[in-house]
Amino acid sequence: MLRIGVLVSGGGTNLQAIIDGVEAGRITNTEICVVISNNKNAYALERAKKNDIPAVCLSPKDFEERKFYNEALIQTIDSYQVDLIVLAGCMVILPPELIQKYRNRIINIHPALIPSFCGTGYYGLRVHEKVLERGVKVTGATCHFVDEGTDTGPIIAQKAVEVLEGDTPEILQRRVMEQAEWIIMPQAIDDIANGRNKIFGTK
Ligand code: GRF
């Protein structure tokens, strides 16, 4: 059974797609054992509570120094015996010690087709604003392993989404979520949980 810990910061629609995937049997051999948010108001925490999943709020603001937050985050994740860390809309910079300790056991969902529209400053709605500004006709989402860089770890899965005439950033964001994010992240977790991903856990 793959034990996953989901790190969130916002609405939690990607978390919900994982919860629904486990419920519906699209994700097998998997248990969501904790949801951790840096934002106490994140609706993602409500989604966890509604599904009887331990919901923990750990905010850097609650600690005198960042290193104490980093230590608390690692200790909390370790305490739930997590096999795979899933970043689902997580806006926190992860401590390098965590990335090192969980090498190729942390995955993220990025709302564009890496290596396009990624890296520092490319997150959330801003990604879709840039996509529309540039006038590209196809965008999408990428699920990738997390390393010390920003959106630079090994790519696991991608799914393309058409940009349509009249799209606003909000409309495009929703389409990318519905048609790409909420599909490829659950698929990636199911592949990892059932031994179909060759990079998972390698050093
Ligand atoms: C999504 O757009 C995702 O691409 C990005 O952050 C957003 C999170 O949305 N990483 P939600 O909290 O999962 O609804």
Side-chain angles (χ1 to χ4, degrees), residues 138-190:
V138 175
T139 186
T142 303
C143 184
H144 62 96
F145 284 106
V146 171
D147 64 10
E148 285 77 0
T150 303
D151 305 325
T152 52
I155 289 174
I156 300 169
Q158 294 187 300
K159 194 166 188 307
V161 173
E162 219 182 344
V163 180
L164 300 177
E165 196 62 38
D167 271 349
T168 63
E170 292 78 6
I171 291 171
L172 184 55
Q173 179 178 51
R174 184 78 194 183
R175 186 178 313 121
V176 169
M177 283 175 156
E178 285 173 349
Q179 296 184 11
E181 296 179 29
W182 299 345
I183 293 168
I184 62 174
M185 178 92 107
Q187 274 175 350
I189 294 168
D190 187 52

Side-chain angles (χ1 to χ4, degrees), residues 56-125:
V56 174
C57 183
L58 269 183
S59 168
K61 296 181 198 138
D62 299 336
F63 295 83
E64 292 267 300
E65 292 178 46
R66 183 68 186 226
K67 67 179 182 180
F68 299 138
Y69 165 77
N70 289 347
E71 285 163 10
L73 180 63
I74 294 170
Q75 280 161 14
T76 301
I77 292 169
D78 287 350
S79 71
Y80 282 91
Q81 287 93 41
V82 167
D83 299 310
L84 175 71
I85 299 169
V86 177
L87 309 186
C90 175
M91 300 303 283
V92 164
I93 306 286
L94 299 184
E97 299 81 2
L98 182 72
I99 294 169
Q100 177 59 32
K101 185 170 189 176
Y102 286 83
R103 179 71 58 196
N104 287 323
R105 293 201 289 137
I106 306 172
I107 65 173
N108 182 48
I109 186 79
H110 181 72
L113 296 174
I114 291 173
S116 299
F117 303 102
C118 66
T120 306
Y122 283 92
Y123 54 85
L125 209 52

